[in-house]
Amino acid sequence: MTVNRRDLLKRVTVGAAALVALPGARAAEPPSFQGPHQAGIFTPPQRSAIFAAFDVAAPSAEALRQTMRTLTARARFLTIGGDPAAGPITTPPADNGVLGPTIPADGLTITVSVGASLFDGRFGLAGRKPRTLTAMGVFPGDALDPAWCHGDLLLQICADNADTVHHALRDIARNTRGGLLLRYRRTGFLSPPRPAGAPRNLMGFKDGTSNPVEAEGADLVWAGAGEPDWAAGGSYQVLRLIRMHTEFWDRVSLAEQEAIIGRRRDSGAPLDGAKELDKPDFERDPAGALTPLDAHIRLANPRTAETANGRILRRPYNYDDGVVPGGDLDAGLIFCAYQQDLRRGFEAIQTRLADDPLNDYIRPFGGGYFFALPGVTSTEDWYGRGLLG
Amino acid sequence: MTRIRIALLAATTVVVAAAGAFALVRSEASAAIPVPTEREARALIDKYRSDATAGISRDIRYAEAASTIGECADPPGTYAISSRYSMMPPSGADGAAAVDALREHWAQLGYRVITDVPGQNSQLLTEDPATGFRVGISRRAASYLRLVVSSPCLTLPYTPAPPVLPEEQATVREAYQQYVAGVLDRLTRDVAALRTAVAGSDRAKARAAWLTAQLTWDRVGAAYGSFGEYADAIDGLPQGLPGGVHDPDFTGLRRIEYGLWHGEALGTLRPMADAVAQQVAALRADLPGATPDAIDLPLRVHEILEDALRFHLTGLTDMGAGAVLAETAADVDATTALLDLFGPLLDERRPALRPAAHADLDALRKALRTGVRRDVDAALGGVLETLAQAPALLEVTGS
Ligand code: HEM
């Protein structure tokens, strides 16, 4: 039985590796502002988030550069924290006061990404576009609302508390006024472990259990061969705003919910396992006796050699926002994922998910494709210097 | 649009007449063991299954899985939950090795042997004294293993419904198919009238003919991509197509609606009406094959109106006619028909359900007639909660 014991060992190791990446786990060190990669990608997800898309209104490449420098300075200050600049009491205060007199870091990360539209003629960037960056297309089942799609720039603002992300967005919007114009934004939250493991999404299932770990970044997440030089250290980011038909979902039996996702709702265990971090073994279940062939996790990650390099880093948040016409809740998922290649990553998965029974319970209505810029590496550096400078 | 909600045998739990169905007749319950709840029992079943399969060769694959709830004779009113997993060893030797490995493994864990019949058709059944769960492995033939896990007798906070027999399901499917055939015959006439109308020059008449045909199609109850490609061709939607309403793949009744309400010349809609007529004829001819599987039909009892909620009342299907309330009323008709096809089976299992559903459906009809949107939304939400109780009562026995 040596083969099996080795297999068991492998399972244990993978489980341990995955544990490190579980969202909700508090980082020992506060996320660092400087580095080859931006914070907010492999950073364990904080509890609160705003995804804010902007149109760039800056009239020239030089004005855009200035805007990006300002954005960098604000992000650097906000993520490190401290006392806001003081001015005469007779002028409007420099800070909005939402976080009190001294700004706490509060685990804040600000991740800046650019959309395909930034590479049109306006700023002379047409030849510098990341290799697979396009505008997001339409997938079967989508009901996209143009007001909730695309954008020149996307900010992913995450922190431990909701007031901190609000404060940061408001501060940045104010300081870049004239250069950046808000296009749309969604506020998201991540639940605490209930009672343990990955946080639950609003369908009641643990979400974030299976994700690449940071050591796999070079193979799966960070921009790879064939990209323009300036892009090194960046990553493709997909944003999908997905409404859930929570009322309908609640009218479906537990057995069916679990068959649709491919995991147990209570524990988060895969249907062929017993614990959340057990690794599904689809090869052993070729007919889908335990995990249906079209279960969400099985379509999303068939765990085959051919699909291994198409895995993506998901960093989703729940949203819960009001009422849709008809009286149902407007609630769902802000799906956010990072990957090395949009075609190999998100698009390949989304194409397999065309037959996902989960589609009946969700309706994507917005989002876009973006490229998360390389990190800011020194005190002189600024977001997009390699691209614009 | 492929919207297929599949009822899976793997996920199906059915009630069998007695827990003894898997030769797991239980001795009297050991007094000291705490009895788990149903959820705990299901989690433990997963744990025993995982533990057992981790100890045997990975080349032994799952072929089938089923879960049942069986009534215990003693004490009466308690139930045992059992899951059985058919597994395929690549050879007889692998199967025999697996049985030996598990015998040793379970002995090491201190499980008590209940039965251990050696040989070609070996049977090994053990009990974990700590929980009262039983786990067993049997060989039926050289390349067939069956792993069984069953809980001790436990009380359930509800009375499990007896399973519907496959032949009872088949009868309902047959009756539904006949219902659909009747509706399609009408649709054939309605689409012929629509073709004539778009060949003329009276837009109001063409619009009326479209509405008649659309409502007849809605009465089929084609929720959830039942009737698959036919349904897509007959009333597919533009959402999800790259070109939206201008996409060349946007065809069918919805496309005709779009044209009729967006000033397109009637003549340009003629080929589309012809194509719909062809699709309806093709579906009518292929009906025995195209009708949803019997196992999916119980879900349609609430899904037809779930579709009305997700598509009509959100405006996704409205291509200009503003007929969402009339279309929802047609969905009510289809739901009523299907509900009554399941009538005797439902009445037997939960006599109060069908009268409650009919009352809710009547309330919805009334709200649709008065057209007050608030009342429609409220009544639809209400009836859906009632109808969602039906599918669980209508599950079939596993193989
Ligand atoms: C509202 C929409 C969605 C819901 C409710 C949802 C839910 C889930 C859940 C519960 C899991 C299992 C837990 C886990 O491993 O994190 C999961 C896994 C996953 N989902 Fe989704 N998901 C949604 C949309 C998407 C989309 C749009 C994609 C990508 C195109 C996607 C890709 C994945 C992947 C790659 C996994 C991991 C599979 C694995 O490695 O086992 N999901 N999702």
Side-chain angles (χ1 to χ4, degrees):
Chain A
M1 296 267 98
T2 40
V3 174
N4 305 315
R5 224 171 279 139
R6 201 186 314 139
D7 202 53
L8 201 69
L9 205 67
K10 201 162 70 193
R11 198 169 313 193
V12 170
T13 329
V14 169
L19 187 64
V20 180
L22 272 188
R26 289 306 303 127
E29 295 272 302
S32 145
F33 180 71
Q34 275 174 205
H37 312 296
Q38 290 195 67
I41 298 176
F42 272 111
T43 310
Q46 305 92 319
R47 291 280 296 279
S48 292
I50 294 181
F51 291 82
F54 292 84
D55 293 327
V56 173
S60 65
E62 182 46 37
L64 175 57
R65 279 192 281 275
Q66 197 46 53
T67 297
M68 295 305 271
R69 284 196 202 95
T70 306
L71 177 60
T72 310
R74 289 326 292 164
R76 190 189 295 275
F77 169 69
L78 292 165
T79 55
I80 294 169
D83 291 327
I89 202 150
T90 47
T91 59
D95 185 74
N96 56 50
V98 165
L99 297 180
T102 302
I103 312 303
D106 202 26
L108 178 70
T109 56
I110 293 170
T111 313
V112 181
S113 309
V114 293
S117 53
L118 193 73
F119 298 87
D120 59 14
R122 284 174 294 161
F123 308 105
L125 299 176
R128 322 208 65 192
K129 196 155 72 162
R131 200 171 50 86
T132 63
L133 187 64
T134 56
M136 180 181 78
V138 182
F139 294 92
D142 284 3
L144 300 178
D145 177 347
W148 285 103
C149 291
H150 316 306
D152 293 331
L153 203 76
L154 181 75
L155 297 189
Q156 172 198 284
I157 305 174
C158 304
D160 293 340
N161 290 286
D163 55 348
T164 303
V165 293
H166 171 94
H167 172 270
L169 174 62
R170 195 156 134 192
D171 181 279
I172 288 171
R174 181 183 188 186
N175 283 285
T176 57
R177 205 88 72 198
L180 298 181
L181 187 66
L182 254 178
R183 183 180 168 90
Y184 58 87
R185 68 163 175 134
R186 272 273 146 167
T187 303
F189 67 94
L190 208 63
S191 306
R194 304 281 190 202
R200 291 176 190 276
N201 65 31
L202 296 180
M203 287 183 155
F205 280 75
K206 293 183 179 179
D207 197 338
T209 303
S210 169
N211 238 348
V213 294
E214 195 158 1
E216 296 173 292
D219 294 330
L220 298 175
V221 174
W222 307 123
E227 296 293 353
D229 289 345
W230 70 263
S235 180
Y236 289 97
Q237 181 187 21
V238 171
L239 177 71
R240 299 271 288 170
L241 305 173
I242 305 176
R243 190 161 288 139
M244 291 173 175
H245 297 293
T246 53
E247 290 76 6
F248 183 18
W249 184 251
D250 291 345
R251 289 190 279 261
V252 168
S253 73
L254 181 63
E256 195 181 342
Q257 291 184 2
E258 293 181 336
I260 289 169
I261 299 292
R263 288 181 178 272
R264 295 279 178 227
R265 196 173 74 168
D266 282 0
S267 64
L271 294 183
D272 67 341
K275 294 189 299 297
E276 179 179 356
L277 295 178
D278 286 349
K279 209 177 141 220
D281 184 354
F282 299 138
E283 226 171 68
R284 193 169 198 171
D285 182 17
L290 269 60
T291 311
L293 300 176
D294 61 359
H296 179 68
I297 67 161
R298 195 162 182 170
L299 291 174
N301 183 4
R303 292 168 192 266
T304 59
E306 306 81 71
T307 55
N309 76 349
R311 286 178 300 137
I312 59 179
L313 175 67
R314 291 173 300 130
R315 212 173 180 284
Y317 281 86
N318 303 318
Y319 82 83
D320 186 17
D321 253 359
V323 184
V324 292
D328 282 351
L329 301 179
D330 186 357
L333 193 73
I334 304 173
F335 176 90
C336 168
Y338 293 94
Q339 60 247 277
Q340 189 168 75
D341 183 308
L342 279 174
R343 307 283 108 72
R344 202 176 82 208
F346 172 78
E347 286 195 352
I349 298 171
Q350 185 64 39
T351 304
R352 289 197 298 270
L353 292 181
D355 295 322
D356 188 351
L358 182 64
N359 293 345
D360 293 328
Y361 306 89
I362 61 179
R363 184 144 319 272
F365 65 93
Y369 289 170
F370 300 91
F371 185 82
L373 297 170
V376 171
T377 52
S378 68
T379 45
E380 289 75 48
D381 196 10
W382 43 279
Y383 291 124
R385 188 173 63 159
L387 169 65
L388 302 159
Chain B
M1 286 191 322
T2 343
R3 334 209 139 273
I4 304 176
R5 184 168 152 198
I6 302 158
L8 295 132
L9 206 60
T12 312
T13 296
V14 300
V15 185
V16 295
F22 294 153
L24 286 175
V25 185
R26 312 201 62 92
S27 54
E28 59 292 346
S30 337
I33 304 168
V35 180
T37 63
E38 181 179 5
R39 286 171 100 128
E40 289 163 349
R42 292 192 183 281
L44 276 169
I45 287 175
D46 283 350
K47 185 177 111 24
Y48 285 104
R49 190 244 309 117
S50 298
D51 179 68
T53 52
I56 61 177
S57 163
R58 245 196 95 210
D59 295 333
I60 300 179
R61 311 231 153 137
Y62 293 102
E64 215 182 12
S67 173
T68 57
I69 298 181
E71 192 164 4
C72 298
D74 182 31
T78 63
Y79 298 87
I81 302 172
S82 311
S83 290
R84 58 155 203 248
Y85 310 92
S86 307
M87 305 195 77
M88 300 297 204
S91 74
D94 290 303
V99 173
D100 290 341
L102 286 176
R103 182 183 293 105
E104 199 187 314
H105 181 59
W106 290 335
Q108 264 170 18
L109 292 171
Y111 295 1
R112 194 163 62 85
V113 173
I114 309 286
T115 348
D116 190 356
V117 183
Q120 264 297 333
N121 295 322
S122 67
Q123 265 196 30
L124 171 63
L125 181 64
T126 66
E127 182 173 304
D128 180 353
T131 60
F133 274 69
R134 288 184 177 186
V135 47
I137 184 118
S138 53
R139 279 177 82 205
R140 289 302 159 88
S143 57
Y144 180 84
L145 286 175
R146 179 188 269 183
L147 178 69
V148 184
V149 188
S150 79
S151 78
C153 297
L154 39 96
T155 49
L156 297 172
Y158 59 93
T159 308
V164 170
L165 301 173
E167 44 291 10
E168 292 173 314
Q169 282 263 359
T171 309
V172 174
R173 181 179 187 267
E174 179 71 27
Y176 176 61
Q177 190 184 308
Q178 271 170 29
Y179 164 83
V180 175
V183 178
L184 288 181
D185 288 342
R186 239 198 91 179
L187 183 61
T188 305
R189 295 194 292 276
D190 294 345
V191 173
L194 174 62
R195 288 168 73 193
T196 313
V198 293
S201 59
D202 185 343
R203 185 170 295 265
K205 200 172 151 201
R207 285 179 173 181
W210 167 82
L211 182 61
T212 305
Q214 180 67 50
L215 294 180
T216 302
W217 169 250
D218 290 336
R219 275 187 205 98
V220 163
Y224 265 88
S226 12
F227 309 107
E229 312 250 298
Y230 296 117
D232 282 352
I234 292 170
D235 87 332
L237 289 169
Q239 292 91 6
L241 295 174
V245 292
H246 304 297
D247 198 287
D249 285 339
F250 178 37
T251 58
L253 287 171
R254 297 289 170 199
R255 176 64 186 82
I256 296 172
E257 174 187 2
Y258 182 86
L260 286 172
W261 270 267
H262 288 82
E264 293 180 6
L266 294 188
T268 62
L269 302 175
R270 237 188 120 174
M272 296 181 205
D274 295 346
V276 171
Q278 275 166 26
Q279 288 298 326
V280 172
L283 171 57
R284 180 73 181 79
D286 188 24
L287 201 51
T291 302
D293 288 343
I295 199 166
D296 286 341
L297 273 184
L299 298 171
R300 301 291 180 268
V301 172
H302 76 115
E303 283 173 346
I304 297 170
L305 284 172
E306 297 283 3
D307 263 15
L309 174 62
R310 292 182 310 143
F311 291 100
H312 294 335
L313 294 177
T314 53
L316 280 180
T317 53
D318 184 5
M319 296 294 123
V324 296
L325 296 188
E327 291 200 44
T328 303
D331 292 332
V332 173
D333 293 344
T335 301
T336 307
L338 194 56
L339 182 68
D340 288 340
L341 293 180
F342 280 112
L345 294 173
L346 284 172
D347 296 349
E348 221 176 278
R349 287 164 180 78
R350 192 171 310 165
L353 183 62
R354 206 151 59 106
H358 275 299
D360 285 352
L361 287 165
D362 286 344
L364 177 55
R365 266 197 202 91
K366 192 162 154 242
L368 286 163
R369 268 199 305 276
T370 51
V372 178
R373 190 56 202 265
R374 179 202 58 204
D375 297 345
V376 171
D377 292 343
L380 179 57
V383 72
L384 282 171
E385 295 296 339
T386 306
L387 293 173
Q389 306 301 313
L393 300 172
L394 298 171
E395 295 200 324
V396 279
T397 17
S399 57

